[in-house]
């Protein structure tokens, strides 16, 4: 359900110039590359924890000092 | 009370800039020496656990490099050798480097503690803290002994590798620590001899800037005279073969010969450049020989047990 004020706001926004930060193509490319790198790093970490859990077996939480 | 918020431009930093922040060349030497420490340690470590330890040490070294570049951005900008680094070049904001370094340091220490052992994790935390706080923030800008004392941080990785296997330390990794510790001053002072102007412009009190070239050349020779026999110590102490001992003594003799040339060099910096380049090869050879020793020993042991069975 749309209220009257929302309808008015939407109508007003159509005529307002866009504000805020607009990323350049270079910034978008850099952000995408960073996002992929973070995703890969997290994936590696998940796989690492999984494999170490398999290797250590039930004693995974038993660590020598 | 009011706050003024500075406008933060969206980052243009690429993945390569973050990798550069981790000083990959330094990292490779750290990983290599830690790998040797891990392999020469007595006992067995599962390859996955060994890999995890090395990964954490590598990430920890990268974190220390990032934090170093964050703190030293002002002097990096004034030196030709470092002016193109991501922060002084404007590709990466200091805050990004700080956050990146702190995140990696915390992650590396926590993962090493969780998946390998707590002692190795504590040693890694000490190494990072020593490099960032003691060397970068304190010694580097205040004393010509900066790289002597700060060199301890670079010498610790073999001990972390050893600790990852045994959960403790012993004389053997301490000797490896001493080799890197005494190798660091001749290595960096040889470099600083032909970068004196750079260091002076940046206001870093490196030995040639503070005490002059002659004193630096003398100190290089003195440290090398201690380093050469120390390089052979693993053989003398009985945990490396005569082959290692021969290589260590021969390359140690070359180091002394180069240090003598540096000592007597009057014009130019040919000997200093040669000393700097050979010192890298020297350290690499010593640790590579320990690796060969260990590998061949394991192979020989397998052959003996195979034929005995």
């Amino acid at each position: 359900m749309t209220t009257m004020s929302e309808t008015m706001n939407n109508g007003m926004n159509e005529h307002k110039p866009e504000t805020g930060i607009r990323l350049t193509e270079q910034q978008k490319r850099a952000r995408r590359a960073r996002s992929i790198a973070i995703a890969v790093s997290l994936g590696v970490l998940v796989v690492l924890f999984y494999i170490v859990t398999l290797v250590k077996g039930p004693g995974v939480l038993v660590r020598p000092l | 009370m009011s706050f003024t918020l500075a406008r933060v431009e969206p980052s243009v930093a690429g993945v390569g800039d973050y990798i550069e922040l981790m000083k990959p060349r330094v990292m490779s030497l750290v990983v290599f020496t830690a790998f040797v420490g891990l392999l020469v340690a007595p006992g067995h470590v599962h390859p996955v656990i060994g890999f995890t330890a090395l990964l954490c040490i590598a990430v920890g070294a990268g974190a220390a490099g990032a934090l170093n570049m964050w703190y030293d951005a002002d002097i990096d900008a004034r030196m030709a050798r470092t002016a193109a680094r991501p922060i002084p070049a404007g590709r990466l904001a200091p805050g990004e480097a700080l956050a990146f370094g702190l995140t990696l340091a915390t992650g590396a220490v926590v993962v090493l503690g969780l998946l390998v052992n707590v002692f190795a994790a504590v040693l890694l935390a000490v190494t990072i803290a020593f490099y960032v706080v003691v060397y970068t923030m304190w010694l580097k800008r205040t004393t010509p002994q900066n790289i002597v004392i700060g060199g301890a941080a670079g010498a610790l990785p073999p001990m972390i590798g050893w600790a990852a296997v045994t959960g403790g330390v012993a004389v053997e990794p301490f000797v490896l620590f001493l080799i890197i510790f005494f190798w660091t001053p001749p290595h960096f002072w040889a470099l600083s001899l032909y970068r004196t102007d750079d260091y002076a412009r940046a206001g870093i009190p490196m030995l040639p800037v503070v005490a002059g070239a002659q004193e630096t050349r003398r100190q290089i020779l003195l440290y090398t005279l201690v380093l050469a026999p120390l390089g052979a110590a693993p053989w003398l102490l009985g945990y490396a073969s005569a082959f290692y001992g021969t290589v260590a003594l021969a390359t140690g003799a070359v180091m002394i010969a180069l240090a003598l040339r540096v000592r007597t060099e009057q014009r130019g910096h040919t000997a200093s450049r040669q000393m700097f380049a050979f010192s890298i090869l020297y350290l690499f050879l010593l640790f590579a020989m320990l690796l060969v020793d260990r590998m061949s020993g394991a192979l020989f042991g397998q052959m003996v047990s195979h034929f005995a069975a």
Side-chain angles (χ1 to χ4, degrees):
Chain A
M1 201 171 93
T2 312
T3 63
M4 186 181 284
S5 63
E6 280 174 351
T7 311
M8 284 174 69
N9 281 341
N10 289 339
M12 285 168 74
N13 285 344
E14 281 171 16
H15 303 292
K16 257 171 66 176
E18 282 191 41
T19 56
I21 295 170
R22 294 190 70 180
L23 298 183
T24 62
E25 280 308 307
Q26 188 196 6
Q27 287 165 340
K28 282 180 185 168
R29 274 198 305 275
R31 185 179 64 177
R32 182 174 165 76
R34 290 197 304 269
S35 301
I36 291 171
I38 292 170
V40 170
S41 307
L42 288 175
V44 167
L45 206 58
V46 169
V47 172
L48 188 70
F49 269 78
Y50 179 70
I51 295 174
V52 171
T53 306
L54 291 181
V55 166
K56 288 199 162 187
V60 66
L61 288 177
V62 180
R63 298 182 300 280
L65 183 66
Chain B
M1 193 173 165
S2 66
F3 294 99
T4 307
L5 293 177
R7 185 189 165 101
V8 179
E9 288 296 322
S11 178
V12 287
V15 176
D17 294 320
Y18 281 94
I19 291 172
E20 196 181 334
L21 212 55
M22 296 169 80
K23 299 190 177 180
R25 275 189 300 178
V26 176
M27 194 201 278
S28 62
L29 199 61
V30 165
V31 170
F32 179 59
T33 55
F35 179 54
V36 174
L38 192 137
L39 271 195
V40 299
H44 171 75
V45 64
H46 192 283
V48 171
I49 305 298
F51 170 78
T52 306
L54 288 178
L55 184 69
C56 291
I57 294 167
V59 173
L67 293 170
N68 169 274
M69 284 205 203
W70 160 71
Y71 192 80
D72 276 349
D74 58 333
I75 53 178
D76 280 351
R78 295 202 291 270
M79 291 174 65
R81 186 172 67 90
T82 53
R85 283 177 174 177
I87 303 175
R91 301 193 301 275
L92 217 137
E96 290 178 289
L98 175 63
F100 182 63
L102 288 176
T103 307
L104 289 192
T106 310
V109 171
V110 169
V111 172
L112 190 63
L114 282 174
L115 301 187
V116 182
N117 68 59
V118 176
F119 186 83
V122 170
L123 218 47
L124 180 64
V126 168
T127 306
I128 297 170
F130 195 88
Y131 184 72
V132 176
V133 180
V134 178
Y135 170 68
T136 305
M137 295 182 176
W138 177 26
L139 299 172
K140 187 172 179 179
R141 297 171 192 238
T142 53
T143 169
Q145 295 301 311
N146 48 16
I147 51 128
V148 179
I149 306 165
L156 279 167
M159 292 181 84
I160 306 173
W162 180 285
V165 179
T166 64
V169 287
V171 175
E172 293 92 330
F174 186 65
V175 170
L176 301 184
F177 168 89
L178 286 178
I179 290 173
I180 303 177
F181 185 79
F182 279 91
W183 166 87
T184 307
H187 170 74
F188 277 108
W189 283 336
L191 169 78
S192 66
L193 273 175
Y194 57 90
R195 297 276 188 187
T196 308
D197 292 345
D198 236 12
Y199 284 114
R201 196 165 43 247
I204 304 172
M206 288 296 278
L207 196 60
V209 177
V210 175
Q214 278 309 102
E215 176 59 17
T216 307
R217 293 171 196 276
R218 195 179 73 85
Q219 296 263 355
I220 287 176
L221 180 60
L222 290 178
Y223 273 90
T224 308
L225 287 173
V226 177
L227 173 66
L230 206 55
W235 165 57
L236 297 171
L237 290 172
Y239 66 93
S241 69
F243 178 60
Y244 169 88
T246 310
V247 172
L249 288 175
T251 50
V254 176
M255 281 289 284
I256 292 175
L258 284 170
L260 283 168
R261 278 195 59 200
V262 170
R263 178 85 173 97
T264 53
E265 192 171 53
Q266 296 298 324
R267 283 184 190 171
H269 295 294
T270 310
S272 307
R273 288 177 192 276
Q274 286 175 344
M275 174 104 200
F276 176 73
F278 185 77
S279 63
I280 298 170
L281 180 67
Y282 172 72
L283 192 71
F284 173 77
L285 275 177
L286 287 189
F287 279 78
M289 286 303 114
L290 281 174
L291 206 61
V292 170
D293 249 22
R294 180 68 179 175
M295 300 289 229
S296 57
L299 195 67
F300 183 70
Q302 276 182 358
M303 282 169 63
V304 168
S305 56
H306 174 74
F307 286 114

